[in-house]
Amino acid sequence: MKKNHNIKKPCIFGVALGPGDPDLITVKGLDILKTVDVIYYPGALFSSGRKSSYALSIMEQYDLDLQKCKGFYLAMNLDRTAAELTYSNAFEYILSDYKAGRSIAIVSEGDISTYSSFAYLLRRIKKHHLEVELVPGISSYSLAAAQQQIPLCLQDEPLIILPRVQDKGILEEALAAFSCLVLMKIKSSIGLIQEVLSQHENAEIYYFERLGTAQQFMSTNWNEIMNRDIPYFSLIIVRI
């Protein structure tokens, strides 16, 4: 097993942490986190002023120097202007560390290239022609399929991922065209999803939340699902 990743300075790594289980980071990713000078992580800023970071909660389970971890917190709303300002401010700190010759990791839960906050920083990193390397990870829906022991795709079956679906027609079209659907960011659209899926009695429906954590929950019972307070970290897999 390779240890002590040989890191040039300055450099930036985008490191995926996986969906929540600390064991599901790659060996390479964890090696980098232990070696770099600075780690940036995303978090959520709520209207009450409370801050929370799923990424930090994963890293706290590793033997890392948490003093080198720096958070950037995004307001929990759909205001992209505020989000872009947060990313711009975070990048200025990253750029300062880079110019100072430090090695940097920017982490993201799940996979680094799938609905990841890192993508908005990567845009700025590439614009400034900084040296960067991405380390992929396990997505939440990959863990979901493994936990439920169901295939996502077989032979020539197509798969579609729909985030925050708000249109019944789009969901109906996807159900007609694809063998497997992954519905993500479902908190705001669970009512619409329930209404459409209730018309498809033959569909296999699997609900997941907080995968890989002590609060993990899975169900195939719609009554049970609809009585829950749907968290942000939840998803549904539908097989037709």
Side-chain angles (χ1 to χ4, degrees):
M1 184 180 295
K2 184 179 179 181
K3 295 291 184 180
N4 299 322
H5 194 83
N6 186 21
I7 292 178
K8 296 182 294 182
K9 295 184 180 183
C11 60
I12 299 172
F13 295 90
V15 178
L17 297 174
D21 182 341
D23 289 338
L24 293 181
I25 191 173
T26 62
V27 173
K28 181 175 183 177
L30 184 54
D31 189 23
I32 289 171
L33 295 186
K34 289 181 176 180
T35 308
V36 294
D37 299 316
V38 189
I39 301 173
Y40 285 86
Y41 65 88
L45 174 62
F46 297 89
S47 57
S48 63
R50 181 175 69 89
K51 293 180 178 180
S52 176
S53 174
Y54 195 59
L56 179 60
S57 71
I58 298 172
M59 291 196 297
E60 285 173 339
Q61 300 178 71
Y62 303 134
D63 184 21
L64 297 176
D65 176 9
L66 295 180
Q67 294 298 313
K68 67 181 183 180
C69 297
K70 302 179 181 181
F72 57 95
Y73 292 85
L74 296 144
M76 293 302 290
N77 55 52
L78 298 179
D79 182 359
R80 297 310 303 171
T81 302
E84 287 295 329
L85 180 59
T86 299
Y87 289 126
S88 293
N89 290 338
F91 178 72
E92 289 304 315
Y93 286 106
I94 293 167
L95 184 59
S96 177
D97 280 329
Y98 188 93
K99 289 180 176 180
R102 299 184 179 97
S103 55
I104 302 158
I106 307 170
V107 300
S108 177
E109 59 271 3
D111 173 58
I112 201 73
S113 302
T114 308
Y115 304 119
S116 171
S117 57
F118 174 76
Y120 301 97
L121 293 171
L122 179 61
R123 182 188 307 160
R124 292 166 168 83
I125 291 167
K126 294 177 75 172
K127 182 178 180 181
H128 284 75
H129 307 288
L130 310 182
E131 183 150 351
V132 63
E133 178 182 337
L134 275 60
V135 181
I138 296 173
S139 62
S140 57
Y141 58 85
S142 295
L143 177 58
Q147 292 280 35
Q148 197 64 46
Q149 299 182 4
I150 55 174
L152 286 173
C153 320
L154 292 171
Q155 296 183 345
D156 57 352
E157 290 180 342
L159 166 71
I160 187 171
I161 303 170
L162 294 176
R164 198 179 286 116
V165 60
Q166 300 291 331
D167 188 297
K168 293 180 185 178
I170 290 175
L171 184 52
E172 288 283 8
E173 289 178 8
L175 288 165
F178 293 87
S179 303
C180 185
L181 285 69
V182 175
L183 306 178
M184 303 183 70
K185 303 182 182 182
I186 63 173
K187 181 178 177 65
S188 63
S189 55
I190 189 66
L192 180 150
I193 293 169
Q194 191 275 337
E195 182 180 348
V196 173
L197 292 183
S198 65
Q199 305 301 314
H200 294 261
E201 296 180 358
N202 296 327
E204 299 174 11
I205 301 167
Y206 306 91
Y207 170 83
F208 308 86
E209 64 182 53
R210 298 188 173 95
L211 283 162
T213 73
Q215 295 76 41
Q216 175 175 297
F217 174 81
M218 304 184 298
S219 180
T220 59
N221 185 310
W222 260 120
N223 290 331
E224 185 177 35
I225 295 166
M226 294 304 293
N227 284 324
R228 296 187 68 80
D229 181 14
I230 306 296
Y232 177 80
F233 292 103
S234 58
L235 65 94
I236 291 172
I237 294 177
V238 183
R239 282 197 57 84
I240 305 298

